[in-house]
Amino acid sequence: MSDTAPFRPPVPGSQPEYDVKIYGSTALRAPSQPLIRIAQSITERTGPHFSPARYPSNIDISKVASGEAQGQRIIVEGHVRDEDGRPVPHTMIELWQANSCGRYHHEGDQHDAPLDQHFQGSGRVFTDENGKYRYTSIKPGAYPWRNHHNAWRPNHIHYSLFGPGFATRLITQMYFEGDPLLKYDPIYNSLPDPAAAARLIAGFDINLTEPEWALGYRFDVTLRGRGATPFEDAHEEH
Amino acid sequence: MPIATASQTIGPYWHLLRDDTWSDLTRFGATGDVITLQGRITDGAGNLITDACVEIWQSSPPVSDVFDGFGRAASNAEGLFSFKTLRPEPVPGASGPMGNTRQAPHIALTILARGVTKALWTRIYFQGDAGHDEDPVLSLIPPARRNTLIAHQTKPGVWHLDIALQGASETVFFEI
Protein backbone atom coordinates (compact mmCIF):
# COMPACT_ATOMS: atom_id res chain seq x y z
CA MET A 1 0.00 0.00 0.00
CA SER A 2 1.43 3.34 -1.01
CA ASP A 3 1.98 5.74 1.85
CA THR A 4 0.18 8.37 -0.17
CA ALA A 5 -2.93 6.31 -1.01
CA PRO A 6 -6.25 7.84 0.04
CA PHE A 7 -7.80 6.95 3.37
CA ARG A 8 -10.97 4.88 3.53
CA PRO A 9 -14.34 6.44 4.09
CA PRO A 10 -15.84 5.88 7.53
CA VAL A 11 -17.71 2.64 8.12
CA PRO A 12 -21.43 3.50 8.17
CA GLY A 13 -22.68 4.16 11.70
CA SER A 14 -19.19 4.45 13.16
CA GLN A 15 -19.09 8.26 13.37
CA PRO A 16 -21.62 10.76 14.76
CA GLU A 17 -23.84 12.86 12.55
CA TYR A 18 -23.41 16.62 12.90
CA ASP A 19 -27.00 17.26 13.89
CA VAL A 20 -27.67 15.27 17.06
CA LYS A 21 -31.10 16.04 18.53
CA ILE A 22 -30.20 15.01 22.08
CA TYR A 23 -27.09 17.22 22.06
CA GLY A 24 -28.54 20.73 22.05
CA SER A 25 -25.41 22.65 21.05
CA THR A 26 -25.42 20.99 17.64
CA ALA A 27 -28.71 22.69 16.65
CA LEU A 28 -27.13 25.91 15.36
CA ARG A 29 -23.68 24.52 14.61
CA ALA A 30 -24.45 21.59 12.31
CA PRO A 31 -24.39 22.30 8.57
CA SER A 32 -27.83 22.29 6.99
CA GLN A 33 -26.52 21.72 3.45
CA PRO A 34 -25.27 18.30 2.40
CA LEU A 35 -21.50 17.89 2.58
CA ILE A 36 -19.67 17.78 -0.73
CA ARG A 37 -17.57 14.67 -1.09
CA ILE A 38 -14.14 15.34 -2.52
CA ALA A 39 -11.40 13.01 -3.66
CA GLN A 40 -8.45 13.09 -1.28
CA SER A 41 -5.50 14.89 -2.83
CA ILE A 42 -2.05 15.64 -1.46
CA THR A 43 -3.72 18.12 0.90
CA GLU A 44 -5.78 15.44 2.61
CA ARG A 45 -3.42 12.46 2.24
CA THR A 46 -0.48 14.17 3.88
CA GLY A 47 -0.40 15.90 7.22
CA PRO A 48 1.74 17.53 9.86
CA HIS A 49 4.42 15.65 11.76
CA PHE A 50 5.33 16.58 15.30
CA SER A 51 8.49 15.66 17.12
CA PRO A 52 9.09 15.68 20.86
CA ALA A 53 12.13 17.83 20.22
CA ARG A 54 9.91 20.69 19.14
CA TYR A 55 6.74 19.69 21.00
CA PRO A 56 7.97 18.37 24.36
CA SER A 57 6.02 15.51 25.84
CA ASN A 58 4.36 15.69 29.25
CA ILE A 59 3.51 12.14 30.26
CA ASP A 60 2.60 12.78 33.88
CA ILE A 61 -0.46 14.98 34.37
CA SER A 62 -0.82 13.85 37.99
CA LYS A 63 1.57 16.48 39.34
CA VAL A 64 3.15 19.82 38.70
CA ALA A 65 6.49 21.14 39.92
CA SER A 66 4.97 22.40 43.15
CA GLY A 67 3.18 19.20 44.12
CA GLU A 68 0.84 16.33 43.41
CA ALA A 69 -2.78 16.59 42.29
CA GLN A 70 -5.62 15.36 44.48
CA GLY A 71 -7.43 12.27 43.29
CA GLN A 72 -7.14 8.67 42.23
CA ARG A 73 -3.88 8.19 40.37
CA ILE A 74 -4.25 6.25 37.10
CA ILE A 75 -2.00 4.91 34.38
CA VAL A 76 -3.48 4.83 30.89
CA GLU A 77 -1.82 2.72 28.22
CA GLY A 78 -2.85 1.69 24.74
CA HIS A 79 -1.95 1.36 21.11
CA VAL A 80 -2.75 3.55 18.16
CA ARG A 81 -3.28 1.46 15.05
CA ASP A 82 -4.90 1.87 11.66
CA GLU A 83 -7.87 -0.09 10.31
CA ASP A 84 -5.54 -2.82 9.09
CA GLY A 85 -4.16 -3.24 12.58
CA ARG A 86 -0.85 -1.65 11.71
CA PRO A 87 0.77 0.45 14.43
CA VAL A 88 0.81 4.21 13.99
CA PRO A 89 4.30 5.01 15.30
CA HIS A 90 5.68 8.31 16.59
CA THR A 91 2.38 10.15 16.43
CA MET A 92 1.47 12.90 18.85
CA ILE A 93 -1.47 12.59 21.25
CA GLU A 94 -2.76 15.62 23.13
CA LEU A 95 -4.83 15.09 26.28
CA TRP A 96 -6.94 17.29 28.50
CA GLN A 97 -9.37 16.65 31.32
CA ALA A 98 -11.17 17.92 34.42
CA ASN A 99 -9.64 17.53 37.87
CA SER A 100 -10.74 14.86 40.33
CA CYS A 101 -13.63 17.06 41.48
CA GLY A 102 -14.97 17.54 37.96
CA ARG A 103 -13.64 21.03 37.31
CA TYR A 104 -11.45 22.21 34.45
CA HIS A 105 -8.57 24.59 34.99
CA HIS A 106 -10.33 26.93 32.57
CA GLU A 107 -11.92 30.32 33.14
CA GLY A 108 -15.03 29.22 31.28
CA ASP A 109 -15.73 26.46 33.81
CA GLN A 110 -17.72 27.95 36.68
CA HIS A 111 -18.89 24.66 38.16
CA ASP A 112 -19.04 24.94 41.95
CA ALA A 113 -16.28 22.43 42.64
CA PRO A 114 -12.78 23.13 43.89
CA LEU A 115 -9.83 23.86 41.66
CA ASP A 116 -6.61 22.04 42.40
CA GLN A 117 -3.46 24.14 42.35
CA HIS A 118 -1.45 21.03 41.53
CA PHE A 119 -3.51 20.03 38.53
CA GLN A 120 -3.30 21.75 35.16
CA GLY A 121 -5.13 19.07 33.22
CA SER A 122 -3.29 18.77 29.91
CA GLY A 123 -0.66 16.40 28.61
CA ARG A 124 1.14 15.38 25.45
CA VAL A 125 2.48 11.92 24.62
CA PHE A 126 3.95 10.26 21.56
CA THR A 127 3.45 6.68 20.44
CA ASP A 128 6.60 4.56 20.25
CA GLU A 129 7.73 2.54 17.22
CA ASN A 130 5.00 -0.05 17.98
CA GLY A 131 2.24 2.52 18.28
CA LYS A 132 2.14 2.21 22.08
CA TYR A 133 1.55 5.16 24.39
CA ARG A 134 1.31 5.55 28.17
CA TYR A 135 0.73 8.37 30.61
CA THR A 136 -0.06 8.97 34.26
CA SER A 137 -2.92 11.14 35.45
CA ILE A 138 -5.67 11.25 38.04
CA LYS A 139 -9.18 10.02 37.36
CA PRO A 140 -11.28 12.99 36.22
CA GLY A 141 -14.51 13.73 38.09
CA ALA A 142 -17.97 13.92 36.58
CA TYR A 143 -19.46 17.38 36.19
CA PRO A 144 -22.83 18.97 35.45
CA TRP A 145 -23.60 20.79 32.21
CA ARG A 146 -26.67 22.49 30.90
CA ASN A 147 -27.68 20.36 27.94
CA HIS A 148 -30.85 19.27 29.74
CA HIS A 149 -32.18 19.13 33.29
CA ASN A 150 -29.75 17.38 35.63
CA ALA A 151 -27.24 16.63 32.87
CA TRP A 152 -23.87 15.23 33.97
CA ARG A 153 -20.87 14.38 31.84
CA PRO A 154 -19.43 10.96 32.64
CA ASN A 155 -15.77 10.78 33.64
CA HIS A 156 -13.73 11.30 30.49
CA ILE A 157 -10.36 12.32 29.10
CA HIS A 158 -10.21 14.26 25.83
CA TYR A 159 -7.87 12.97 23.12
CA SER A 160 -6.46 14.74 20.06
CA LEU A 161 -4.60 12.62 17.51
CA PHE A 162 -3.07 13.36 14.12
CA GLY A 163 -1.92 10.16 12.42
CA PRO A 164 -0.23 10.10 9.02
CA GLY A 165 -2.52 12.46 7.06
CA PHE A 166 -4.76 15.44 7.72
CA ALA A 167 -7.64 13.08 6.87
CA THR A 168 -6.74 10.96 9.91
CA ARG A 169 -7.10 13.87 12.35
CA LEU A 170 -9.23 12.69 15.27
CA ILE A 171 -10.68 14.39 18.32
CA THR A 172 -12.33 11.98 20.71
CA GLN A 173 -13.03 11.23 24.36
CA MET A 174 -12.04 8.25 26.46
CA TYR A 175 -14.61 7.04 28.98
CA PHE A 176 -14.28 4.62 31.89
CA GLU A 177 -15.66 1.11 32.16
CA GLY A 178 -18.69 0.83 34.43
CA ASP A 179 -19.55 4.54 34.57
CA PRO A 180 -23.30 4.77 35.39
CA LEU A 181 -23.55 8.17 33.67
CA LEU A 182 -22.73 6.82 30.21
CA LYS A 183 -26.27 5.79 29.42
CA TYR A 184 -27.53 9.34 30.09
CA ASP A 185 -24.83 11.24 28.18
CA PRO A 186 -25.89 12.79 24.86
CA ILE A 187 -22.31 13.11 23.62
CA TYR A 188 -21.41 9.48 24.26
CA ASN A 189 -24.78 8.50 22.81
CA SER A 190 -24.34 10.69 19.71
CA LEU A 191 -23.07 7.60 17.91
CA PRO A 192 -25.53 5.71 15.72
CA ASP A 193 -23.94 2.34 16.41
CA PRO A 194 -23.69 1.30 20.09
CA ALA A 195 -20.58 -0.68 19.21
CA ALA A 196 -18.92 2.56 18.08
CA ALA A 197 -19.73 4.12 21.45
CA ALA A 198 -18.47 1.06 23.32
CA ARG A 199 -15.09 1.43 21.60
CA LEU A 200 -14.64 4.72 23.47
CA ILE A 201 -14.58 2.98 26.84
CA ALA A 202 -11.26 2.26 28.53
CA GLY A 203 -11.18 -1.05 30.35
CA PHE A 204 -9.72 -1.53 33.79
CA ASP A 205 -6.59 -3.66 33.49
CA ILE A 206 -5.12 -5.14 36.66
CA ASN A 207 -1.88 -5.75 34.79
CA LEU A 208 -1.44 -2.04 34.21
CA THR A 209 -1.90 -1.11 37.84
CA GLU A 210 1.17 -0.37 39.89
CA PRO A 211 0.97 -1.76 43.43
CA GLU A 212 0.90 0.90 46.13
CA TRP A 213 0.74 3.54 43.42
CA ALA A 214 -1.93 3.71 40.66
CA LEU A 215 -4.83 1.97 38.94
CA GLY A 216 -4.48 1.02 35.28
CA TYR A 217 -6.73 1.48 32.24
CA ARG A 218 -6.26 0.37 28.66
CA PHE A 219 -7.50 2.44 25.73
CA ASP A 220 -6.66 1.62 22.13
CA VAL A 221 -7.36 4.03 19.28
CA THR A 222 -7.92 3.10 15.65
CA LEU A 223 -7.28 5.70 12.93
CA ARG A 224 -8.53 5.51 9.35
CA GLY A 225 -6.63 3.07 7.17
CA ARG A 226 -5.46 3.64 3.63
CA GLY A 227 -6.91 1.99 0.58
CA ALA A 228 -10.28 0.92 -0.73
CA THR A 229 -12.49 -1.56 1.09
CA PRO A 230 -15.87 -3.08 0.25
CA PHE A 231 -17.37 -0.24 2.29
CA GLU A 232 -16.40 2.18 -0.45
CA ASP A 233 -19.15 0.97 -2.78
CA ALA A 234 -21.82 1.23 -0.10
CA HIS A 235 -20.60 4.72 0.65
CA GLU A 236 -21.02 5.89 -2.94
CA GLU A 237 -24.76 5.35 -2.77
CA HIS A 238 -25.44 8.38 -0.59
CA MET B 1 -11.22 -5.75 10.71
CA PRO B 2 -10.79 -2.90 13.20
CA ILE B 3 -13.08 0.10 12.73
CA ALA B 4 -11.84 3.64 13.20
CA THR B 5 -12.49 5.19 16.60
CA ALA B 6 -15.43 7.59 16.69
CA SER B 7 -15.04 11.34 16.86
CA GLN B 8 -16.38 13.26 19.84
CA THR B 9 -16.73 17.01 20.22
CA ILE B 10 -13.65 18.99 21.27
CA GLY B 11 -15.91 20.71 23.81
CA PRO B 12 -15.60 24.14 25.44
CA TYR B 13 -12.40 23.47 27.41
CA TRP B 14 -9.97 22.56 24.62
CA HIS B 15 -8.09 25.79 25.44
CA LEU B 16 -6.14 23.74 27.97
CA LEU B 17 -4.11 22.81 24.86
CA ARG B 18 -3.98 26.35 23.61
CA ASP B 19 -0.66 27.84 22.57
CA ASP B 20 -1.15 31.01 20.58
CA THR B 21 2.29 30.72 18.99
CA TRP B 22 0.83 27.88 16.91
CA SER B 23 -1.15 30.39 14.85
CA ASP B 24 2.10 31.69 13.38
CA LEU B 25 3.39 29.15 10.86
CA THR B 26 6.48 31.28 10.26
CA ARG B 27 7.61 30.98 13.89
CA PHE B 28 10.38 28.50 13.08
CA GLY B 29 11.95 30.87 10.58
CA ALA B 30 10.07 30.19 7.35
CA THR B 31 10.37 32.99 4.82
CA GLY B 32 8.53 33.72 1.63
CA ASP B 33 5.25 35.36 0.74
CA VAL B 34 3.98 35.94 4.29
CA ILE B 35 0.25 36.50 4.65
CA THR B 36 -2.30 36.98 7.39
CA LEU B 37 -5.34 34.76 7.07
CA GLN B 38 -8.36 35.67 9.13
CA GLY B 39 -12.09 35.28 9.38
CA ARG B 40 -15.12 35.41 11.59
CA ILE B 41 -17.15 32.33 12.51
CA THR B 42 -20.89 32.40 13.07
CA ASP B 43 -23.60 29.86 13.80
CA GLY B 44 -27.01 29.34 12.22
CA ALA B 45 -28.53 32.29 14.09
CA GLY B 46 -25.67 34.61 13.22
CA ASN B 47 -24.18 34.38 16.72
CA LEU B 48 -20.41 34.73 16.93
CA ILE B 49 -18.64 31.48 17.69
CA THR B 50 -16.11 32.42 20.32
CA ASP B 51 -14.92 29.00 21.46
CA ALA B 52 -13.77 27.34 18.23
CA CYS B 53 -10.48 25.62 17.58
CA VAL B 54 -9.52 26.45 14.02
CA GLU B 55 -6.78 24.41 12.36
CA ILE B 56 -5.10 24.81 9.01
CA TRP B 57 -2.89 22.49 7.01
CA GLN B 58 -1.25 23.27 3.69
CA SER B 59 0.69 20.98 1.39
CA SER B 60 2.41 23.98 -0.21
CA PRO B 61 5.01 25.31 0.43
CA PRO B 62 6.38 21.85 1.28
CA VAL B 63 7.00 21.00 4.92
CA SER B 64 10.58 21.69 6.00
CA ASP B 65 12.61 22.20 9.16
CA VAL B 66 11.31 25.74 9.34
CA PHE B 67 7.74 25.17 8.15
CA ASP B 68 5.29 22.70 9.75
CA GLY B 69 2.45 23.48 7.36
CA PHE B 70 0.09 23.25 10.34
CA GLY B 71 -1.46 25.92 12.50
CA ARG B 72 -4.04 26.20 15.26
CA ALA B 73 -5.88 29.30 16.44
CA ALA B 74 -8.69 30.00 18.88
CA SER B 75 -11.59 32.14 17.78
CA ASN B 76 -11.76 35.16 20.08
CA ALA B 77 -14.58 37.14 21.73
CA GLU B 78 -15.41 38.69 18.35
CA GLY B 79 -15.53 35.29 16.68
CA LEU B 80 -12.31 36.06 14.84
CA PHE B 81 -9.43 33.74 14.10
CA SER B 82 -6.11 34.77 12.60
CA PHE B 83 -3.08 32.96 11.21
CA LYS B 84 0.25 34.12 9.87
CA THR B 85 1.50 31.80 7.16
CA LEU B 86 3.01 31.53 3.68
CA ARG B 87 0.97 31.88 0.53
CA PRO B 88 0.59 28.42 -1.08
CA GLU B 89 1.38 27.53 -4.69
CA PRO B 90 -0.70 25.28 -6.95
CA VAL B 91 -0.41 21.55 -6.17
CA PRO B 92 -1.35 18.36 -8.06
CA GLY B 93 -4.91 17.15 -7.84
CA ALA B 94 -6.09 13.70 -6.82
CA SER B 95 -5.15 11.18 -9.46
CA GLY B 96 -8.02 9.24 -10.94
CA PRO B 97 -10.05 8.63 -14.03
CA MET B 98 -9.99 12.31 -14.91
CA GLY B 99 -6.23 12.12 -15.38
CA ASN B 100 -3.76 14.62 -14.07
CA THR B 101 -5.32 17.69 -12.58
CA ARG B 102 -3.91 20.73 -10.91
CA GLN B 103 -5.36 22.43 -7.86
CA ALA B 104 -5.38 26.17 -7.43
CA PRO B 105 -3.55 27.46 -4.33
CA HIS B 106 -5.53 26.56 -1.24
CA ILE B 107 -5.27 25.83 2.47
CA ALA B 108 -7.31 23.15 4.25
CA LEU B 109 -9.16 24.43 7.30
CA THR B 110 -11.10 22.60 9.97
CA ILE B 111 -13.48 23.90 12.60
CA LEU B 112 -13.64 22.03 15.91
CA ALA B 113 -15.93 23.30 18.64
CA ARG B 114 -18.49 22.57 21.30
CA GLY B 115 -21.60 21.38 19.47
CA VAL B 116 -19.50 20.14 16.54
CA THR B 117 -19.41 16.36 16.78
CA LYS B 118 -16.63 15.85 14.22
CA ALA B 119 -14.33 18.18 12.33
CA LEU B 120 -15.95 20.49 9.80
CA TRP B 121 -13.71 20.42 6.73
CA THR B 122 -13.39 23.27 4.31
CA ARG B 123 -10.76 25.06 2.23
CA ILE B 124 -9.58 28.58 1.69
CA TYR B 125 -8.78 29.75 -1.84
CA PHE B 126 -7.53 33.21 -2.80
CA GLN B 127 -9.55 35.62 -4.89
CA GLY B 128 -7.93 36.46 -8.21
CA ASP B 129 -5.72 33.36 -8.40
CA ALA B 130 -5.54 31.53 -11.70
CA GLY B 131 -7.03 28.07 -11.96
CA HIS B 132 -10.26 28.41 -9.99
CA ASP B 133 -12.40 27.44 -12.98
CA GLU B 134 -10.37 24.27 -13.51
CA ASP B 135 -9.86 23.39 -9.85
CA PRO B 136 -11.19 19.85 -9.27
CA VAL B 137 -12.63 20.71 -5.86
CA LEU B 138 -14.17 24.10 -6.67
CA SER B 139 -15.67 22.51 -9.78
CA LEU B 140 -17.76 20.21 -7.57
CA ILE B 141 -19.41 23.17 -5.86
CA PRO B 142 -22.50 24.90 -7.23
CA PRO B 143 -21.31 28.30 -8.55
CA ALA B 144 -23.53 30.24 -6.15
CA ARG B 145 -21.71 28.72 -3.15
CA ARG B 146 -18.12 28.81 -4.40
CA ASN B 147 -17.53 32.24 -2.92
CA THR B 148 -17.85 30.74 0.58
CA LEU B 149 -14.35 29.30 0.04
CA ILE B 150 -12.66 32.29 -1.56
CA ALA B 151 -10.83 34.73 0.69
CA HIS B 152 -10.51 38.35 -0.36
CA GLN B 153 -7.68 40.72 0.33
CA THR B 154 -8.64 43.50 2.74
CA LYS B 155 -5.21 45.15 2.57
CA PRO B 156 -1.89 44.03 1.15
CA GLY B 157 -1.04 40.62 2.58
CA VAL B 158 -4.21 40.31 4.66
CA TRP B 159 -6.78 37.79 3.46
CA HIS B 160 -10.23 37.43 4.99
CA LEU B 161 -12.85 34.71 4.80
CA ASP B 162 -15.90 34.50 7.02
CA ILE B 163 -17.21 31.06 7.94
CA ALA B 164 -20.88 30.33 8.59
CA LEU B 165 -21.53 26.91 10.07
CA GLN B 166 -25.18 27.04 9.09
CA GLY B 167 -27.71 29.30 7.36
CA ALA B 168 -28.19 31.30 4.19
CA SER B 169 -24.49 31.99 3.67
CA GLU B 170 -23.41 28.58 4.95
CA THR B 171 -19.82 27.65 4.15
CA VAL B 172 -19.32 24.63 1.92
CA PHE B 173 -18.06 21.73 4.01
CA PHE B 174 -16.51 18.54 2.67
CA GLU B 175 -16.73 14.86 3.25
CA ILE B 176 -13.25 13.48 2.76
Side-chain angles (χ1 to χ4, degrees), chain A residues 27-49:
Chain A
L28 290 172
R29 294 184 168 199
S32 57
Q33 299 282 333
L35 303 195
I36 292 182
R37 189 177 184 207
I38 64 172
Q40 294 166 27
S41 71
I42 182 173
T43 302
E44 293 77 28
R45 296 180 196 185
T46 62
H49 290 277

Side-chain angles (χ1 to χ4, degrees), chain A residues 68-99:
Chain A
E68 296 198 67
Q70 300 285 331
Q72 173 68 62
R73 206 178 285 117
I74 58 172
I75 292 161
V76 182
E77 184 179 297
H79 283 81
V80 182
R81 301 186 180 95
D82 69 15
E83 288 174 290
D84 292 309
R86 288 179 295 225
V88 180
H90 310 301
T91 198
M92 183 170 79
I93 307 174
E94 299 168 291
L95 308 157
W96 70 105
Q97 63 168 86
N99 70 20

Side-chain angles (χ1 to χ4, degrees), chain B residues 132-148:
Chain B
H132 285 181
D133 289 344
E134 298 78 34
D135 182 86
V137 170
L138 286 178
S139 301
L140 295 171
I141 300 171
R145 298 189 67 205
R146 275 180 209 165
N147 65 344
T148 68

Side-chain angles (χ1 to χ4, degrees), chain A residues 15-18 23 27-30 32-33 36 41 43-44 54-55 94 105 169 171-172 175 222 235, chain B residues 5-8 15-16 27 44 55 57 65 68 72 103 106 114-115 117-119 121 123 166 170 175:
Chain A
Q15 297 292 330
E17 300 297 327
Y18 288 108
Y23 177 19
L28 290 172
R29 294 184 168 199
S32 57
Q33 299 282 333
I36 292 182
S41 71
T43 302
E44 293 77 28
R54 189 169 272 179
Y55 298 89
E94 299 168 291
H105 186 77
R169 183 90 176 91
I171 303 289
T172 191
Y175 301 96
T222 305
H235 197 76
Chain B
T5 304
S7 173
Q8 297 271 272
H15 304 87
L16 293 181
R27 69 191 184 281
E55 294 185 345
W57 160 249
D65 285 347
D68 274 353
R72 175 185 289 160
Q103 302 186 81
H106 65 275
R114 171 180 66 85
T117 58
K118 54 186 172 181
W121 285 80
R123 282 183 172 193
Q166 191 188 86
E170 186 173 310
E175 180 182 352

